């Protein structure tokens, strides 16, 4: 009896699994824009600026206590490595300058979006992508230093896997009226390894994998997150200077 039923069961579950996979694949949003390939720039060096006076130091090499959900991150030799969840700052920030140094895993594994993926989620909503984009193809508006699904970087200045890199991000927070309409869109400038890779880009809203960018009203200040995308990306020297506006 079992030998008659079993193949039907296997077929049934295979169909379910295939449908689920197909449905999942269809969920990814693609904006349809054909971008030019960002020009490759060799030799850009990280800019390792110490926290200036008045900056909020989020990680100085010792502990991740300025973050929630970072208890499983590996803190060693002055760096913090992604492990066991997306870390989110305890403090909330609005317009600000963010300095962060990071390194994708020296041991290369995976490809495309699966290689050295993390991200700086400003206000928990606006992602500056972190990815190992050193000889690693993916869609241009998803590669390293892209504003995810909105803007590819102006240049690809990625260093080799395992090498330290720097981001200096200047972020202007969006403003909303009392009805929830956006009255000032968010803006981003990103300098990676001393090279401007996003130049005062006006965001079209939150960065999503599954739907077009869009604004939803939110508080003037919100925590920043560092994404756990399952890859052991390392971070060091993280600080934020708030900008009054
Ligand atoms: Mg990411």
């Amino acid at each position: 009896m079992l030998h008659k039923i079993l193949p039907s069961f296997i077929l049934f579950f295979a169909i379910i699994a295939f449908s689920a996979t197909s449905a999942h694949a269809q969920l990814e949003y693609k904006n349809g824009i054909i971008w030019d390939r960002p020009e490759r720039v060799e030799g850009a060096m990280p800019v390792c600026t110490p926290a200036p006076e008045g900056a909020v130091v989020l990680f100085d090499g010792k502990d991740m206590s300025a973050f929630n959900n970072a208890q499983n991150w590996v803190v060693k030799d002055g760096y913090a490595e992604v492990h066991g969840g997306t870390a989110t700052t305890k403090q909330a920030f609005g317009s600000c300058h963010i300095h962060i140094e990071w390194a994708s895993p020296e041991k290369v594994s995976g490809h495309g979006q699966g290689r050295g993926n993390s991200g700086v989620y400003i206000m928990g909503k606006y992602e500056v992508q972190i990815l190992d984009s050193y000889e690693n193809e993916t869609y241009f508006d998803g590669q390293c230093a892209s504003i995810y699904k909105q803007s590819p970087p102006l240049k690809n200045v990625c260093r080799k896997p395992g090498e330290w890199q720097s981001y200096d991000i200047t972020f202007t927070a969006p403003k909303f009226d009392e009805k929830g309409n956006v009255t000032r869109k968010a803006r981003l400038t990103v300098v990676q390894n001393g090279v401007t890779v996003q130049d005062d880009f006006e965001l079209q809203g939150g960065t999503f994998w599954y739907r077009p960018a869009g604004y939803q009203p939110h508080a003037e200040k919100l925590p920043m997150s560092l994404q756990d995308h399952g890859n052991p990306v390392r971070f060091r020297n993280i600080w934020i200077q708030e900008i009054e506006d």
Side-chain angles (χ1 to χ4, degrees):
M1 183 63 182
L2 192 63
H3 72 280
K4 283 186 181 167
I5 295 170
L6 206 55
S8 309
F9 263 108
I10 290 168
L11 182 64
F12 174 75
F13 285 113
I15 288 168
I16 294 289
F18 178 76
S19 311
T21 308
S22 310
H24 187 67
Q26 283 163 6
L27 284 175
E28 179 170 11
Y29 166 72
K30 295 207 166 93
N31 59 27
I33 300 171
I34 312 287
W35 304 100
D36 290 334
R37 175 185 296 274
E39 179 196 349
R40 174 79 196 143
V41 173
E42 299 289 343
M45 296 293 285
V47 179
C48 304
T49 316
E53 197 178 343
V56 177
V57 176
L58 293 171
F59 178 66
D60 65 358
K62 294 188 187 75
D63 67 74
M64 287 286 282
S65 60
F67 291 82
N68 285 317
N69 201 39
Q71 65 275 11
N72 293 321
W73 283 44
V74 178
V75 178
K76 208 168 99 179
D77 301 334
Y79 65 78
E81 187 175 281
V82 173
H83 186 74
T86 291
T88 301
T89 60
K90 291 175 181 171
Q91 190 171 332
F93 303 95
S95 296
C96 61
H97 179 102
I98 301 166
H99 177 87
I100 192 159
E101 295 165 30
W102 58 271
S104 53
E106 189 173 358
K107 184 172 176 286
V108 171
S109 73
H111 57 86
Q113 292 291 308
R115 187 169 136 183
N117 194 332
S118 181
V120 181
Y121 270 82
I122 304 165
M123 304 194 94
K125 298 174 183 301
Y126 310 106
E127 184 186 14
V128 178
Q129 175 71 300
I130 286 176
L131 195 74
D132 177 1
S133 287
Y134 187 88
E135 298 178 354
N136 178 34
E137 282 290 312
T138 188
Y139 41 94
F140 301 142
D141 55 6
Q143 74 177 61
C144 188
S146 63
I147 310 301
Y148 190 67
K149 295 268 170 102
Q150 294 189 39
S151 173
L154 297 169
K155 295 178 176 12
N156 179 351
V157 303
C158 266
R159 290 164 57 74
K160 288 180 182 168
E163 294 185 344
W164 285 100
Q165 316 205 32
S166 63
Y167 274 172
D168 282 281
I169 300 169
T170 306
F171 174 73
T172 306
K175 285 187 189 291
F176 302 91
D177 64 19
E178 60 284 352
K179 287 183 185 152
N181 301 310
V182 64
T183 55
R184 183 181 79 178
K185 291 181 177 176
R187 304 189 81 87
L188 267 172
T189 292
V190 181
V191 178
Q192 180 184 6
N193 303 330
V195 178
T196 300
V197 288
Q198 296 288 346
D199 185 13
D200 198 27
F201 178 75
E202 185 179 78
L203 282 101
Q204 298 310 302
T207 53
F208 303 102
W209 181 79
Y210 56 93
R211 71 171 178 83
Y215 280 100
Q216 289 157 328
H218 57 69
E220 287 181 10
K221 295 186 177 189
L222 286 170
M224 178 195 79
S225 291
L226 299 175
Q227 184 188 34
D228 176 0
H229 200 279
N231 304 142
V233 175
R234 293 176 179 177
F235 292 92
R236 71 179 186 193
N237 191 21
I238 309 171
W239 51 262
I240 292 188
Q241 187 129 44
E242 296 188 85
I243 296 171
E244 294 297 326
D245 70 341

